[in-house]
Amino acid sequence: VKAEDVNLPEKLALLHSEVSEVFEAYRHKRFEGRHGFGEELADVLVRTLHLAGLMDVDIEEEFLKKFEINKSRSWDGMNETLV
């Protein structure tokens, strides 16, 4: 599959639905097991990595670049950096 043939809106909607499932697991205090917080968070990662592969994004390279940027970034309402 070429990047230009990927139905990006569909893939982003699927990613969004996985993020929503993480929130639902949290909201219902399902932190472990089937449909638990961790499993749903893993689904977000799976969808993200799949999309990166389809779009020919070197996700490791992009992650490392972003990680370096975030080392010195502070986040509103937080006293620590996000690394």
Side-chain angles (χ1 to χ4, degrees), residues 7-36:
N7 184 341
L8 187 60
E10 175 188 41
K11 298 301 183 193
L12 291 174
L14 289 168
L15 182 56
H16 181 270
S17 79
E18 296 297 350
V19 171
S20 294
E21 289 176 12
V22 172
F23 177 69
E24 284 301 303
Y26 173 79
R27 195 168 72 89
H28 294 288
K29 299 184 181 348
R30 290 190 317 261
F31 295 105
E32 295 183 23
R34 184 92 172 113
H35 303 293

